[in-house]
Amino acid sequence: MWIDVAIKVGLAMVMMLIVINIAGIHSWVERKQSAVIQDRWGANRAGFTFRAPLLRWLNPVMRPIIYLGLLQPLADLMKLVAKENWSPVGGMKWLHASAPFFYLLFAFVGFSAIPFGDTLHVAGRDISLQVAHLNVGFVFIFAMAGLGVYGIVLSGVSSNNNYAFLGAVRAASQMISYEVTLGATVIGIVMVYGSLDLQEIVRGQGALLWGWLPKWGVFVQPLGCILFFTAALAETKRIPFDLPEGESEIIGYFTEYSGTKFGMFMLADFVETVMVAALTTTLFFGGWQFPYLHASGFVFPWGAQVAVGHYGVVAIQVISFLIKVVLFCWLLMTIRWTLPRFRYDQLMDLGWKRMLPVSLANIAVTGLVILLIEAL
Amino acid sequence: MTVTERPLTTKSMLLNLGPSHPSMHGVVRFVLELDGESIVKADCEIGYLHRGFEKMSEQGSYLTVIPYTDRLNYVSPSINNQGYCIAVEKLMGITVPERGEYLRVIMSEIGRIADHLTCIGAATMEVGAFTAFLYYVEAREAIYDLIEAVTGARLTVSFGRIGGVKADLPDCFSNQVHKAFARTREILVECDKLLSRNRIFMDRMRDVGVMSKERTLAYSIQGPFARANGVDWDLRRDEPYSIYDRLEFEVPIGDGHCDNYERYAVRFAEMEQSMRMVEQCLEQMPKGAVAVDESGRELTGADLVEEAKRGLTGGVQELRVVADPTLNGTHRGQIEQVTNPDKHVLLPSKEEAYGSIEGLMNHFKLVMTGHGLHPPAGEAYGVVEGANGELGFYVVSDGTDRPYRVRCHPPCFPIVAAMSELLVGHMIADVTPIFGMVNMIAGELDR
């Protein structure tokens, strides 16, 4: 009993570690990748040198770290933590302080349903590499994402600021509108793999189409994949869908936040980006699946086999999942620094008038194709 | 009446946009009345950067106004210099040497490119395309390097002088121009690919901020903003001043949409025309003063250094020109090529001022209070096509050494007056792109 609890806690710790680290490094990636895209150097100053004679040998090691700006996130953090804990005049102090907590909490909780590896057999136990084995996996994730709106709405309402209020209203309407499309596109995946359980969906993606193509979501639901990714991009509230922030128009729902509380909003944004990357990976890009990797090792379509031990297989799976997530984070970042921003009415048009009908049509076509395949 | 029968009451929201708002430059304020996201009423408040340019101008001599004009449209200061100088020249009835005119046009057009780059760059940033903005800024860097090479300053250049310009071009300037323009064109092509056909960008700019040709004329708006709205009017072509009549260029006109996208497109096209003009000027302009050795062979600055390295400085002493012409004190012999040599307006070179009693006296006669330029009593209006439209200086002289009145007609004033009309009916998100394409420069707006 206690061992089960310990295992779950351990899994949760691993997941948290992965997410917080990727999200933390995101702030560095954002600085550095945007710099590369924009022909700049980016952060390359934050750092320190050792004066103590015993530690001087570390200075040459520090230099590349400083030049790469790797210490910048730490400097950012120090700045944010050291700032005054301030709340706006005329605002609701308690709600103002709790809004970032709500937002960050719900951003994190969703990860519990994401599988990052297959079952691990160790000491006679079967451990599914997933914090919470839920048979309504992604429904849970969407529910949590939906609850995250509360954090934003609270921040906007409690700030006593029209800009924050407008940002919150925009964020709420945007997240709710795009969640409809998000849900509708996933229906196709559910129909193909016959389950709502994310672990089952990922397992289903291990099969091969025509004996050589991995049966990943992107190959069986290409349109669904594009729609899902676009809608998910809108969920992250980043350019081109960064209307709730819109730094040149309404500054955003966190106008009246500073210090750690602002940092939490920022972290939650990065966590959401990781969430979108993880969800896209899980639903459409095989999750922890690695092409042609089975429980016993690699079995290639041309018959060759490479035996891999159980721990090796699990390690490849986890690493494969992580690499996919990081690649999607990179893609999201590239999009963020390339495109202009939508306007509110254009956003609603895109969501309700274009993406939703297409995603509904996608469901119908998927159903028809599945029926035809079964009939044949 | 039950609750459900009662009419729904809505209250409009009052949003105070600026002056401390990231897109308002810290110098302008909009009081918006909002119905949801739509603007019902817009009220524009200006004057946050009022520094009393016109009153300040009355305090000093005619020459001391020139640096103030830099601070009007601080993105293209050489155009302002020219506008003011033209007015005073009209007042005094003096002419500018041909090479000086060409230099003025070159610097004005380079300034115009910088201005347009800033404007469309900022407008793209305001619709969220931050990367494209930095690309435009990189192109502007190349342009600013040119300005720096000629004037020694990047922002407040004070390059104009009454009767001409401050100094001649540096050596190999045309090579620098070709290099900088090649880079600028490259970046413009890149940004064109990135933005001009970008669906989101088009959606954000098309049919936003529409203003009919009639309304544009009613507000007496000029410049690229009016040309985008279909007003076919450009001072450089229709009332040519300086040497614009010798240049070949087109005036881009909007295609009838009269919206933000046209304003973007017109400014984009004007940059290419400006570059063409500069290139033509460099080809056409008469040769400046050159250094020759005893045998009549032309010497460049590099040659002079070479000669000096070989110890052949004996002959160099006989030469009229020393090293770089843009530095004060080393332009003797060249300044007459670019500025009217009339002793009543031309500040003597530093060599003259420090080296001869005549030069010193001449210098003091021009800069001392109560002496200086004395245009005859009268009034004159000098006008140039600024980067935003007609930039006029109305100078009144009472015969003393100080201007009785200097009035500046800023090109973006009428456009900002039309802002409320432009904004009503649009959404909050449209405020910044519309305002960005107006290209309000608070320096010249508030003066």
Side-chain angles (χ1 to χ4, degrees):
Chain A
M1 165 63 199
W2 286 111
I3 292 180
D4 287 328
V5 172
I7 289 170
K8 283 295 176 199
V9 169
L11 284 173
M13 297 276 271
V14 170
M15 199 67 203
M16 280 290 271
L17 211 67
I18 294 174
V19 173
I20 288 198
N21 270 307
I22 297 183
I25 292 171
H26 241 78
S27 75
W28 174 77
V29 175
E30 177 144 70
R31 283 174 185 283
K32 220 58 188 175
Q33 189 176 346
S34 66
V36 171
I37 291 176
Q38 297 167 347
D39 295 345
R40 295 185 286 118
W41 281 108
N44 64 353
R45 295 299 158 97
F48 48 86
T49 48
F50 292 100
R51 294 273 166 79
L54 272 176
L55 292 171
R56 264 196 203 136
W57 61 275
L58 275 171
N59 286 339
V61 185
M62 289 293 294
R63 208 161 296 141
I65 295 176
I66 292 170
Y67 283 154
L68 281 172
L70 282 168
L71 294 176
Q72 190 68 42
L74 284 180
D76 288 346
L77 189 73
M78 272 157 65
K79 186 197 79 172
L80 287 176
V81 171
K83 278 199 171 181
E84 185 190 349
N85 183 13
W86 185 80
S87 62
V89 179
M92 296 171 239
K93 200 172 175 185
W94 191 80
L95 282 180
H96 184 263
S98 59
F101 287 93
F102 278 111
Y103 189 37
L104 193 60
L105 174 75
F106 290 121
F108 271 128
V109 167
F111 278 97
S112 59
I114 300 247
F116 57 94
D118 204 355
T119 317
L120 176 69
H121 306 287
V122 59
R125 282 178 176 277
D126 292 349
I127 304 166
S128 180
L129 292 182
Q130 187 184 20
V131 178
H133 187 84
L134 297 167
N135 53 7
V136 287
F138 73 79
V139 178
F140 171 74
I141 291 175
F142 288 172
M144 289 304 120
L147 284 173
V149 175
Y150 275 102
I152 294 176
V153 171
L154 283 181
S155 73
V157 171
S158 65
S159 288
N160 188 28
N161 182 320
N162 281 351
Y163 291 109
F165 180 70
L166 281 170
V169 172
R170 280 185 182 185
S173 56
Q174 175 178 335
M175 286 175 84
I176 290 165
S177 309
Y178 277 78
E179 220 148 86
V180 177
T181 314
L182 212 58
T185 48
V186 180
I187 300 294
I189 286 286
V190 174
M191 287 160 85
V192 172
Y193 299 108
S195 176
L196 283 167
D197 181 356
L198 289 173
Q199 190 68 286
E200 284 307 313
I201 290 175
V202 175
R203 288 208 181 102
Q205 297 185 53
L208 295 177
L209 287 170
W210 307 298
W212 60 274
L213 187 67
K215 199 184 167 188
W216 286 3
V218 64
F219 299 121
V220 290
Q221 286 281 313
L223 184 62
C225 178
I226 294 167
L227 290 172
F228 178 86
F229 193 68
T230 315
L233 197 62
E235 287 284 302
T236 62
K237 301 184 289 301
R238 290 163 75 75
I239 284 176
F241 299 101
D242 74 332
L243 287 95
E245 291 182 36
E247 73 260 359
S248 58
E249 0 177 306
I250 59 155
I251 305 106
Y253 49 87
F254 43 58
T255 308
E256 294 286 357
Y257 282 88
S258 71
T260 320
K261 286 186 270 186
F262 172 74
M264 285 170 79
F265 272 117
M266 220 162 123
L267 179 67
D269 259 12
F270 289 135
V271 170
E272 276 201 338
T273 315
V274 182
M275 183 72 198
V276 166
L279 211 53
T280 314
T281 309
T282 306
L283 292 171
F284 292 95
F285 288 84
W288 40 260
Q289 297 278 1
F290 193 83
Y292 313 126
L293 182 69
H294 296 267
S296 59
F298 288 100
V299 181
F300 294 106
W302 53 89
Q305 292 199 5
V306 182
V308 182
H310 176 65
Y311 294 124
V313 168
V314 172
I316 292 175
Q317 285 169 345
V318 173
I319 291 169
S320 145
F321 174 76
L322 285 180
I323 289 176
K324 286 176 196 171
V325 169
V326 169
L327 279 178
F328 274 106
C329 288
W330 169 83
L331 182 63
L332 286 163
M333 196 67 84
T334 311
I335 294 171
R336 189 236 179 283
W337 288 107
T338 310
L339 290 176
R341 179 188 310 123
F342 281 105
R343 198 173 60 205
Y344 183 70
D345 56 331
Q346 293 162 353
L347 180 91
M348 289 294 139
D349 273 5
L350 182 73
W352 291 103
K353 291 189 192 159
R354 296 186 206 162
M355 281 172 59
L356 187 63
V358 176
S359 59
L360 291 176
N362 186 41
I363 295 175
V365 171
T366 309
L368 204 66
V369 170
I370 289 175
L371 266 182
L372 282 175
I373 290 172
E374 277 173 1
L376 287 171
Chain B
M1 209 198 292
T2 62
V3 176
T4 46
E5 284 169 351
R6 215 177 289 154
L8 206 62
T9 51
T10 53
K11 219 170 78 181
S12 57
M13 181 199 243
L14 207 64
L15 190 71
N16 187 25
L17 208 65
S20 38
H21 180 279
S23 306
M24 294 300 136
H25 317 197
V27 287
V28 69
R29 182 167 89 134
F30 288 110
V31 181
L32 304 175
E33 205 179 311
L34 300 173
D35 175 21
E37 289 257 332
S38 314
I39 297 162
V40 185
K41 209 176 133 218
D43 194 7
C44 178
E45 208 176 286
I46 63 168
Y48 288 88
L49 201 67
H50 177 66
R51 297 154 299 178
F53 159 76
E54 291 170 4
K55 202 69 195 165
M56 273 196 295
S57 306
E58 295 166 18
Q59 309 301 316
S61 72
Y62 282 90
L63 284 174
T64 55
V65 178
I66 295 171
Y68 292 147
T69 62
D70 286 338
R71 277 91 177 154
L72 293 175
N73 184 344
Y74 35 75
V75 194
S76 50
S78 33
I79 305 182
N80 310 337
N81 293 165
Q82 188 182 5
Y84 170 72
C85 292
I86 285 180
V88 180
E89 281 153 16
K90 269 188 191 170
L91 210 54
M92 299 184 73
I94 59 173
T95 54
V96 180
E98 206 183 357
R99 191 170 162 89
E101 292 279 23
Y102 275 104
L103 250 69
R104 277 184 174 181
V105 169
I106 289 174
M107 291 314 289
S108 293
E109 292 310 316
I110 288 177
R112 194 184 314 278
I113 299 168
D115 197 291
H116 286 355
L117 280 171
T118 314
C119 171
I120 61 177
T124 54
M125 182 177 68
E126 275 152 6
V127 298
F130 193 66
T131 303
F133 165 67
L134 285 174
Y135 289 170
Y136 282 124
V137 167
E138 198 195 331
R140 200 182 67 171
E141 261 325 279
I143 299 295
Y144 269 7
D145 284 346
L146 288 181
I147 295 176
E148 193 181 0
V150 178
T151 66
R154 290 164 74 83
L155 198 68
T156 46
V157 297
S158 295
F159 190 60
R161 289 287 182 275
I162 291 155
V165 292
K166 179 184 139 198
D168 209 338
L169 296 175
D171 286 344
C172 308
F173 182 67
S174 89
N175 287 349
Q176 277 183 46
V177 166
H178 289 143
K179 221 179 278 173
F181 282 4
R183 181 75 192 122
T184 308
R185 283 187 171 118
E186 208 176 289
I187 289 168
L188 287 182
V189 168
E190 211 170 63
C191 290
D192 195 37
K193 278 185 199 154
L194 199 60
L195 281 175
S196 299
R197 307 296 304 167
N198 183 317
R199 190 67 246 169
I200 302 176
F201 185 73
M202 295 264 294
D203 281 349
R204 285 302 302 277
M205 303 297 261
R206 261 281 174 245
D207 299 323
V208 171
V210 178
M211 182 173 231
S212 69
K213 189 177 169 183
E214 288 70 36
R215 294 302 295 159
T216 313
L217 286 171
Y219 274 107
S220 84
I221 296 171
Q222 294 177 341
F225 192 94
R227 289 196 280 277
N229 292 0
V231 181
D232 193 1
W233 175 257
D234 189 324
L235 282 173
R236 292 171 293 174
R237 182 197 59 193
D238 300 314
E239 280 180 10
Y241 54 95
S242 199
I243 46 101
Y244 278 108
D245 48 347
R246 301 185 207 167
L247 303 176
E248 203 178 291
F249 61 96
E250 286 152 28
V251 178
I253 304 292
D255 66 358
H257 279 86
C258 308
D259 56 7
N260 263 351
Y261 191 79
E262 277 321 303
R263 282 155 215 161
Y264 169 83
V266 162
R267 281 184 191 266
F268 206 93
E270 275 194 15
M271 285 192 282
E272 177 55 38
Q273 298 305 323
S274 291
M275 284 191 260
R276 269 181 69 193
M277 279 184 238
V278 173
E279 281 159 353
Q280 286 176 44
C281 282
L282 286 172
E283 273 170 31
Q284 289 180 15
M285 65 195 272
K287 231 165 167 193
V290 287
V292 289
D293 62 8
E294 296 87 336
S295 60
R297 191 169 61 89
E298 197 179 311
L299 283 179
T300 63
D303 287 337
L304 284 170
V305 174
E306 280 303 310
E307 300 257 301
K309 272 184 193 165
R310 286 187 278 134
L312 302 174
T313 45
V316 174
Q317 283 170 359
E318 309 297 318
L319 297 173
R320 292 188 67 206
V321 176
V322 194
D324 186 64
T326 59
L327 301 171
N328 275 335
T330 56
H331 55 214
R332 190 157 48 137
Q334 296 205 328
I335 196 74
E336 291 88 353
Q337 304 283 329
V338 293
T339 311
N340 194 316
D342 184 351
K343 282 199 167 23
H344 293 96
V345 292
L346 174 66
L347 274 172
S349 72
K350 287 285 174 285
E351 285 159 344
E352 301 279 357
Y354 295 146
S356 68
I357 188 65
E358 292 81 7
L360 190 68
M361 282 164 71
N362 191 356
H363 182 85
F364 275 133
K365 283 296 281 177
L366 284 175
V367 299
M368 271 198 313
T369 313
H371 297 260
L373 272 61
H374 280 80
E379 55 186 49
Y381 183 60
V383 61
V384 287
E385 178 76 22
N388 284 334
E390 179 184 316
L391 173 70
F393 286 89
Y394 175 63
V395 182
V396 183
S397 163
D398 55 358
T400 62
D401 66 321
R402 292 179 186 176
Y404 178 75
R405 178 94 170 91
V406 176
R407 165 87 175 102
C408 170
H409 170 263
C412 60
F413 188 80
I415 320 182
V416 174
M419 271 311 281
S420 339
E421 189 176 318
L422 279 166
L423 289 182
V424 168
H426 286 96
M427 301 186 122
I428 310 174
D430 292 327
V431 175
T432 47
I434 293 175
F435 190 55
M437 289 321 291
V438 163
N439 193 20
M440 184 214 74
I441 307 277
E444 69 177 13
L445 178 74
D446 297 340
R447 302 185 297 286

